Amino acid sequence: MSDMVENKRAQHKVWLTVALSIFTVAWGGNEFTPLLVFYRGEGFFSDLFIDMLLVFYAIGVAVGLLAAGPLSDRYGRRAVMLPAPLLAMLGSTLIATGEEMAPLIGLGRVFSGIAVGMVMTAGGAWIKELATPRFEPGVKPSAGAKRASMSLTGGFALGPAVAGVMAQWLPLPGQLAYIVHIVLTLVLLPLLFTAPETRQSAHLKTKGSFWADVLVPSALSPRFLFVVAPVGPWVFGAAFTAYAILPTLLRDMVAAPIAYSALIALITLGTGFGIQQFGPQIMGTSKTRGPILAMVATVVGMVGAVIVSLHPHPWWALLVCMFLGLSYGLCMFIGLAETQNIAPPVDMAGLTGIFYCLAYSGMVFPAIMTWLNQWLSYPIMLGFGAAMATLCLLIVSFSTRKV
């Protein structure tokens, strides 16, 4: 009897092995963020190039998302997930050795992004499929989206928090954080081999070509186009407004700018992680409440960012980051949950990849603002962002009732 109980407990927690790999890859992908301040201080690269590193990362994420989704739908989750932590380690190695070399650090960011894209699609679909009665009797339908979003957010939050503290006060500020990530990955990677494959038709492959798989039919669903698509870009649009733009505006007002940047990332993503705990309760059975609340938080956060840009203050910025964190957390969970409800099994990873592409499009905001800052002030640009968030709120408020 005791053996049966232990087996059931182990079966219930099988998703955790996948979640830990997602966590470590997300850690490696986002630990770079507070080091943006470090690289600016070193003076090896221009401000525009440093912000472009976010774009390189976003390009890598897009490649990982768009390729890994159809590949994992076709060949299985494990086949795509296993290489992802290795690519993340390669990315960390290149960035650590490329502190003064633009090609190495740029290539490292691309590899980090590809790895994150792979775990977001294949890993998210894997966790979703493990959160079914076959593997976990009595599991709630929303458990998959909650676990996937929390795994990502936990890594996104702790990675930069640890990296910022290390870079501010410990030796080897350009290398130590990446070494820690590599060690963490090596410790947790073997656990991934214990997770069962959930894509049961994988050994039969999928009929049709790979390029036919890329064209995910469910992406044309009206609810995806008019509810999920307006919410998606604000996942990282809000997050990177908080921990890429605001630290730049405030770096001359704090004594420890790298650690302050890490604190902003921790507060933003920690708030996002916290609100995701209540994601299923917020959505409930309502078609409207979740998406509308996500966009309301976004509007409040973006208006707050405008105020901080006009009247910079480190403590007020932390409060604004809490609202931007609420936006990140709600947009991530609501968008992912809606996507998983819309997608049929054959499109699960593919449509998840498209949602995450929309989410990561928000990462280009800092680079665009740095470039436009030659002609426009940050209050004007952030004000435009607040106006766009308001427009998205209006679209979602109308559409979520109709589709």
Side-chain angles (χ1 to χ4, degrees), residues 141-367:
S142 59
K146 179 179 177 180
R147 291 167 180 174
S149 62
M150 288 173 61
S151 302
L152 285 165
T153 302
F156 285 148
L158 291 180
V162 173
V165 171
M166 288 180 171
Q168 185 71 64
W169 289 298
L170 295 181
L172 301 174
Q175 289 79 38
L176 187 58
Y178 302 108
I179 294 171
V180 170
H181 168 247
I182 291 169
V183 172
L184 183 66
T185 302
L186 289 173
V187 170
L188 295 177
L189 178 59
L191 298 176
L192 193 59
F193 288 88
T194 66
E197 177 60 69
T198 55
R199 184 75 174 138
Q200 295 305 310
S201 62
H203 67 287
L204 301 175
K205 309 264 191 302
T206 301
K207 294 180 180 179
S209 69
F210 168 78
W211 297 110
D213 292 346
V214 172
L215 302 174
V216 180
S218 54
L220 298 179
S221 159
R223 190 160 182 90
F224 188 83
L225 291 174
F226 296 106
V227 176
V228 177
V231 169
W234 294 105
V235 173
F236 290 107
F240 274 79
T241 295
Y243 54 75
I245 294 172
L246 295 186
T248 299
L249 300 179
L250 298 165
R251 63 184 173 182
D252 296 329
M253 302 180 67
V254 293
I258 302 174
Y260 180 74
S261 179
L263 177 63
I264 280 184
L266 181 62
I267 289 175
T268 303
L269 294 167
T271 304
F273 183 88
I275 197 63
Q276 286 170 356
Q277 306 278 349
F278 305 100
Q281 290 83 358
I282 290 171
M283 283 193 71
T285 58
S286 172
K287 293 176 59 179
T288 62
R289 185 167 57 223
I292 291 174
L293 281 177
M295 289 313 306
V296 167
T298 303
V299 171
V300 173
M302 291 303 297
V303 170
V306 174
I307 295 172
V308 168
S309 69
L310 288 169
H311 308 285
H313 193 287
W315 291 109
W316 284 115
L318 297 181
L319 178 62
V320 170
C321 288
M322 292 182 67
F323 283 99
L324 291 170
L326 289 174
S327 169
Y328 161 84
L330 288 171
C331 289
M332 172 74 87
F333 176 82
I334 300 300
L336 187 57
E338 290 276 356
T339 297
Q340 292 183 349
N341 287 336
I342 292 167
V346 71
D347 281 354
M348 181 63 69
L351 193 63
T352 301
I354 292 174
F355 165 70
Y356 280 132
C357 279
L358 290 169
Y360 266 97
S361 68
M363 283 191 62
V364 304
F365 290 1

Side-chain angles (χ1 to χ4, degrees), residues 234 298-299 301-304 306 380-392:
W234 294 105
T298 303
V299 171
M302 291 303 297
V303 170
V306 174
I380 290 175
M381 291 186 287
L382 289 169
F384 177 76
M388 290 298 98
T390 303
L391 177 61
C392 289

